[in-house]
Amino acid sequence: MFSEDLWLENEKNCAVVHKAKRGRKRQELLAVALGVKVGVKGALLWQPLKLFAYSQITSLVRRAALTQNDNHFNYEKAHNFKVHTFRGPHWCEYCANFMWGLIAQGVRCSDCGLNVHKQCSKYVPNDCQPDLKRIKRVYCCDLTTLVKAHNTQRPMVVDSCIREIEAREISNPDERLEAIHEVLMLLPAAHYETLRYLMIHLKKVTLHEKDNFMNAENLGIVFGPTLMRPPEDSTLATLNDMRYQKLIVQILIENEDVLF
């Protein structure tokens, strides 16, 4: 007659044996699926199997995220595949077959990290979703790659620059004159008086536009580069600012009686 403790211990041993058999059976099934044979050192099979499972799960999660993400902007982008040498066993994330060889076993997308056979890369859909960890640049970067990495419709730098410019280039004429007047008040007294006197003169010149063809806009083109010269002697900066130089001088002339 077995004691209760002995009976419980026997039950535990049986459970361990059954569990080991189930594990062995699972290994054999996976081995058949992979086309390999489990030998005495069958336990070594589990490491490549784990890598295979990891690669498949990664691929499924990647594609499921692309399908189910409602916030993702649907810009089509081809993968940027480059030949890659993988360390250790790797499986193609497209066909799920093993990548054979010691070097250059397949290709990897440098934007999203997708790993596939070179021949499989021809059939992979244009569903690349760049990973921010791989996109290190904002400038000199493919535009579609950049916006898909940040999940935005446009590059964030464009939005930031336009917001800043629009916050400065004022649309309301009265508000614009008020802003210019505030800036004029910051000028040193000698600069202010010289500018005021010159604008009074140029306003008189525009009164004879029919004879001299010099309206406020034309005078802005002539005097703008001189009066609104940038601090640094840069030809490129002067060319870029020419439009605004002309506009400011034109406003100063047309509204001389209000601004001064």
Side-chain angles (χ1 to χ4, degrees):
M1 208 70 183
F2 288 110
S3 66
E4 185 176 353
D5 292 339
L6 187 59
W7 178 265
L8 291 174
E9 184 178 354
N10 186 55
E11 285 291 323
K12 291 180 180 179
N13 291 336
C14 289
V16 171
V17 171
H18 286 302
K19 184 176 181 180
K21 288 183 177 179
R22 285 197 301 270
R24 178 70 177 181
K25 189 65 176 177
R26 189 180 296 112
Q27 268 194 315
E28 292 175 352
L29 290 174
L30 288 172
V32 170
L34 291 173
V36 296
K37 184 177 180 180
V38 180
V40 179
K41 298 182 179 180
L44 297 177
L45 178 65
W46 282 110
Q47 185 60 26
L49 287 177
K50 288 179 182 178
L51 293 174
F52 170 71
Y54 176 77
S55 67
Q56 295 308 298
I57 291 173
T58 301
S59 179
L60 290 174
V61 170
R62 189 200 314 275
R63 297 188 183 279
L66 288 174
T67 304
Q68 298 176 4
N69 189 357
D70 295 333
N71 296 324
H72 175 69
F73 294 103
N74 295 319
Y75 292 138
E76 185 177 274
K77 181 188 179 307
H79 291 272
N80 185 18
F81 287 120
K82 294 182 179 178
V83 177
H84 188 77
T85 297
F86 298 94
R87 294 183 179 180
H90 265 77
W91 282 262
C92 175
E93 294 183 41
Y94 180 78
C95 69
N97 289 320
F98 187 74
M99 291 184 176
W100 298 99
L102 299 178
I103 59 172
Q105 304 97 324
V107 293
R108 168 175 288 176
C109 176
S110 59
D111 294 334
C112 72
L114 183 70
N115 304 316
V116 297
H117 288 114
K118 185 176 182 180
Q119 58 270 28
C120 289
S121 65
K122 303 174 183 177
Y123 307 103
V124 175
N126 296 335
D127 59 355
C128 178
Q129 177 58 39
D131 188 348
L132 275 176
K133 296 178 181 178
R134 299 175 181 273
I135 309 301
K136 304 297 183 183
R137 298 181 297 178
V138 174
Y139 300 101
C140 300
C141 176
D142 176 68
L143 185 60
T144 305
T145 300
L146 184 64
V147 297
K148 285 180 72 69
H150 291 275
N151 195 24
T152 57
Q153 290 180 296
R154 302 167 299 277
M156 292 187 294
V157 65
V158 173
D159 286 349
S160 299
C161 290
I162 290 179
R163 279 197 304 268
E164 182 65 23
I165 292 172
E166 290 182 349
R168 297 184 181 187
E169 292 175 346
I170 303 173
S171 58
N172 185 286
D174 294 333
E175 292 180 358
R176 183 186 302 168
L177 289 178
E178 184 178 351
I180 294 176
H181 178 71
E182 291 177 357
V183 174
L184 291 174
M185 292 297 101
L186 300 177
L187 290 174
H191 292 251
Y192 177 87
E193 180 57 30
T194 303
L195 183 62
R196 184 187 71 83
Y197 191 73
L198 178 60
M199 292 303 109
I200 292 174
H201 168 69
L202 294 180
K203 183 68 173 287
K204 293 177 182 178
V205 172
T206 62
L207 298 178
H208 304 280
E209 178 185 352
K210 291 182 180 180
D211 298 322
N212 57 29
F213 302 104
M214 296 303 291
N215 56 22
E217 182 178 2
N218 291 337
L219 289 171
I221 295 174
V222 174
F223 286 91
T226 302
L227 298 177
M228 314 297 283
R229 186 172 56 190
E232 66 280 357
D233 188 13
S234 171
T235 304
L236 181 60
T238 302
L239 291 174
N240 290 334
D241 294 342
M242 190 173 294
R243 175 190 170 192
Y244 305 104
Q245 294 166 349
K246 183 267 294 183
L247 181 59
I248 291 296
V249 174
Q250 178 182 345
I251 293 174
L252 291 176
I253 296 172
E254 292 175 341
N255 301 276
E256 164 270 325
D257 54 336
V258 176
L259 295 173
F260 297 95

